[in-house]
Amino acid sequence: MADHSDRTPHVPGQRQESPAADDGQALDFPPPPPVPSLEEKEPRLEALREWWADAWDDGGFLYDRWEDLRRAPELGWHGMANWVKTALGLAGICAVLILLHGATDVLADTLHSLLTAVPRVQVGADTSHGVFAVVDQPIRTYSAVHSAALPISASTVYTVWQLVGIFGLVGGFFRSSGARITWTAWGAASIAMVWDAAPDEGRTIATGLAVLAWTVASAFALRGLTLRPAFFTHIHNAAPAFEPHIHLPAPAVPDADDTPAQVHPLHKR
């Protein structure tokens, strides 16, 4: 009968060590990284606090930048710091790009609506009355006839013609040279269109009324403009005459006691 008294009893919960663990080198795991202690973290935080305090002291980096921002409204555009000018310029460019990107479609639709807002222009359309119709109807007819092959409608051409005339009249009133040149070319083109599209029986009268109307409106668009030649008179002033003189001060007469025997004073004859 076998003897079982020498067997080691199995204790629940007791960790059994494997033979490989007894050798000590069976599983080679790297050691865990060392955890930084509180003493190592404190110098970093202390250095950050010190840098922050130095930056906001008088003469520090952040202090100087804040002073540039604070004094920018007082100094104006020419006196403010260069980095503030650069930041404002970049911000303005970004804002303009964002607005243009978001408003491109809206502006295009609005411009198209403005250019096509007038009624459709047709040949001989009775859309105006009175004396104004003598000039307006030939221009409408000319626009309708000569814009048939264009990618835009006659109403768009007529609207552009009106806008150019308003620009020349208003800009010329404020003495803009470019607007006055535009007004002159616009008036000449309008008179030519009236002469070409007016009926043969009344072509001369229609053209004459167009010239008179454009001349009256030119009193506002070309105000202050004169055809008199400008004369510039240059008054030449003679240069002042300089007469140099040499003035020699009279020598001081020394005392009799201090005058050497061989020195004689200068006498005027």
Side-chain angles (χ1 to χ4, degrees):
M1 185 175 184
D3 187 9
H4 301 284
S5 60
D6 56 348
R7 292 181 179 180
T8 304
H10 177 71
V11 180
Q14 183 177 4
R15 185 177 63 180
Q16 301 294 329
E17 297 180 359
S18 62
D22 294 340
D23 296 340
Q25 298 296 332
L27 299 176
D28 189 9
F29 292 103
V35 179
S37 59
L38 296 177
E39 290 78 5
E40 295 179 0
K41 292 182 180 180
E42 286 297 332
R44 297 179 183 177
L45 295 177
E46 187 64 26
L48 183 59
R49 294 193 192 99
E50 184 177 356
W51 177 86
W52 183 261
D54 293 340
W56 282 105
D57 284 341
D58 190 3
F61 178 78
L62 296 179
Y63 180 84
D64 292 341
R65 303 293 81 75
W66 172 254
E67 285 295 319
D68 292 340
L69 289 176
R70 187 182 64 84
R71 298 182 58 190
E74 303 175 2
L75 299 177
W77 177 259
H78 297 285
M80 66 177 61
N82 292 330
W83 73 270
V84 179
K85 296 180 183 179
T86 304
L88 292 177
L90 292 177
I93 293 174
C94 293
V96 171
L97 292 178
I98 293 174
L99 291 176
L100 290 178
H101 179 73
T104 301
D105 297 336
V106 178
L107 291 176
D109 296 339
T110 304
L111 182 60
H112 179 72
S113 301
L114 289 175
L115 293 178
T116 58
V118 297
R120 187 172 298 277
V121 179
Q122 299 177 357
V123 178
D126 190 9
T127 54
S128 55
H129 306 279
V131 180
F132 180 70
V134 178
V135 179
D136 181 64
Q137 288 185 7
I139 293 176
R140 288 176 180 266
T141 303
Y142 186 91
S143 301
V145 172
H146 293 83
S147 61
L150 298 178
I152 57 177
S153 61
S155 60
T156 303
V157 175
Y158 181 75
T159 305
V160 171
W161 175 81
Q162 288 181 322
L163 293 178
V164 172
I166 294 174
F167 165 75
L169 180 63
V170 177
F173 181 79
F174 290 101
R175 300 187 178 184
S176 173
S177 300
R180 289 179 173 179
I181 295 175
T182 304
W183 172 259
T184 304
W186 180 85
S190 301
I191 294 171
M193 286 190 291
V194 172
W195 173 265
D196 184 85
D200 295 339
E201 296 80 4
R203 175 175 299 171
T204 306
I205 295 180
T207 306
L209 290 177
V211 172
L212 291 178
W214 178 76
T215 305
V216 172
S218 298
F220 298 93
L222 305 179
R223 70 183 187 95
L225 186 64
T226 178
L227 299 179
R228 294 181 179 179
F231 295 97
F232 298 94
T233 304
H234 179 69
I235 301 176
H236 177 72
N237 294 326
F242 295 95
E243 298 179 0
H245 298 278
I246 299 177
H247 296 276
L248 296 178
V253 179
D255 296 337
D257 298 337
D258 299 335
T259 303
Q262 65 273 14
V263 176
H264 300 280
L266 180 64
H267 298 280
K268 184 178 180 181
R269 297 182 179 179

